[in-house]
Amino acid sequence: KGFGASLAVNAPSSAMWWGTYGYFRERMLSAAANYKGMRPPDRVLEACAGAGAGVVSTILTNPMDVARTRLQVDGRIHDGSTLFSTLRLLVKEEGAISLMKGVEARLMASVPSSIMVITVYELVKRLSRRDPPG
């Protein structure tokens, strides 16, 4: 039920997450390389970059997630409603603030999940190298 709507939310969210993670990771590692004091380990910086990516992608895709949920729960999928018509209806009937409903719960799920996913991803990536660095 609502596969297209779910895809319309999850694909941009994932693309945004990976792009943001890559940007934050490079910026953090670059800033840490120039730091003269006690430098945090790369793993900590990667976890922070993952958390930041989770925050950004969650906030930016929350309006589409609210519309997707409404489509699926209200059963509007079969009446010709689309993600974007549902977004317009939500803003008209409940105001723009309604597009951020549930963002706190999504953040509480996405930030820890992002940290765990990226920590494991970076560990597997390091362990998979043919010739260890250094």
Side-chain angles (χ1 to χ4, degrees):
K1 187 174 177 181
F3 174 73
S6 292
L7 192 60
V9 173
N10 294 331
S13 179
S14 181
M16 214 176 294
W17 191 95
W18 284 103
T20 305
Y21 169 71
Y23 174 78
F24 284 166
R25 180 180 181 275
E26 290 308 311
R27 300 289 297 171
M28 288 180 177
L29 291 174
S30 175
N34 297 325
Y35 188 65
K36 302 294 183 227
M38 196 170 108
R39 184 183 189 282
D42 288 355
R43 282 20 129 230
V44 171
L45 298 174
E46 291 162 353
C48 290
V55 168
V56 170
S57 66
T58 297
I59 289 172
L60 293 179
T61 60
N62 201 71
M64 291 192 316
D65 192 57
V66 170
R68 175 195 59 83
T69 302
R70 288 292 175 93
L71 271 173
Q72 291 176 329
V73 172
D74 292 351
R76 296 185 191 173
I77 293 169
H78 301 295
D79 72 0
S81 294
T82 66
L83 201 58
F84 295 106
S85 67
T86 303
L87 280 168
R88 284 192 299 274
L89 186 65
L90 279 166
V91 171
K92 181 181 174 187
E93 292 181 353
E94 300 177 32
I97 196 71
S98 69
L99 301 179
M100 294 311 287
K101 284 184 176 181
V103 73
E104 299 90 352
R106 285 188 71 215
L107 285 168
M108 288 192 303
S110 71
V111 171
S113 173
S114 294
I115 292 169
M116 288 185 282
V117 165
I118 209 56
T119 300
V120 171
Y121 170 81
E122 291 292 349
L123 173 66
V124 170
K125 194 169 85 171
R126 275 190 276 285
L127 294 174
S128 298
R129 290 190 179 132
R130 290 186 188 272
D131 50 334

